[in-house]
Amino acid sequence: MESSELYHIKQQFTLGAYRALVKQDLPDESSPDYHALLLYKTRAFIALNEPASALELIPEGSENIAVKAVASLARYVAAAGSEQADAALEELRDLSVEIEGDDVEGSDKDKALVRVLAGTAFARAGEIEEALETVTVIVQIYLSINRPDLARKQFDRSKRWAEDDLLLQLIESTIGLVTGKDSYSNTSSFYTEQLGNPSLTSPHLLTARGVTRILRGEIQEAKSDLEESLEQQKGDTEAEAAYVVAAGLGALKRPEAEELWSKLAAEYPSHPYIQDVLQKADLFNQSAAAFTVPPLAAIVPI
């Protein structure tokens, strides 16, 4: 049975309260919770894009398969785009093979975590097929490639064996956010319920509810959520992109919205939102160029 501390940390990680989680002190290495809490804390640092802090926590010489995997993921994130990143990916491939054997140090949960960590790196590297083969819960990847039907099938299968009710609720809410089921009502209720927990401070939940409110047409309420999210975690790209969308839909005056768009496009030109808008603008211009505007009919005086 999990201790109350481990349950709370697990809840923080699942709901994206990473900043609050990393402020928690690790227990003594002799504690039965030490290993699990170490993994949650290092993964939270990686989620915050602070891989160096994660690596500082990892004990030297550890042979545990999950600890080795989280170290490889941290090295991959730290070295993104370089040869060192390729080397870290290769480490994760090797570990994914190694867990199939019987002579590795680690529990079944540790082995499952290796698949999740490796799949995370493969997905970030754009190796979607390899990620799908590696990750046990692949809902997020299916949604990222616009296959909510497969995500729903995976979710339905997961309900037969998964024990983490909170995680299942989060997955179902994510599917609802993508598909728009029931006008996003269940998704909105889930995020609101979790944000009502006084022990959680999660800018990710605020951003998710802000996006949900945009989709529900609640623009001013979305603006409030996204502003609070950015106060808690300045520079979060997804929150900034959602805030630009809300601004463009009337949350701010047009000149302010245009200024925010220009800033986002300049700072994150490869962001999917920026790329999507620019592609649609190009398509519009191509269509407009191919269309010949007929001359205005002349008015003949009688």
Side-chain angles (χ1 to χ4, degrees), residues 173 176-177 183-189 191 205-218 222 225-226:
S173 295
L177 185 61
S183 300
Y184 309 100
S185 58
N186 289 337
T187 299
S188 178
S189 296
Y191 293 138
L205 281 177
L206 283 165
T207 299
R209 188 173 70 174
V211 171
T212 306
R213 284 176 159 172
I214 288 174
L215 294 169
R216 287 166 62 89
E218 301 167 356
D225 277 348
L226 295 166

Side-chain angles (χ1 to χ4, degrees), residues 267-302:
E267 292 181 356
Y268 308 104
S270 61
H271 190 279
Y273 170 53
I274 303 298
Q275 289 294 308
D276 185 54
V277 172
L278 294 178
Q279 288 171 7
K280 286 181 170 59
D282 286 341
L283 287 173
F284 177 83
N285 291 334
Q286 291 172 22
S287 299
F291 181 74
T292 302
V293 180
L296 293 174
I299 300 176
V300 179
I302 298 175

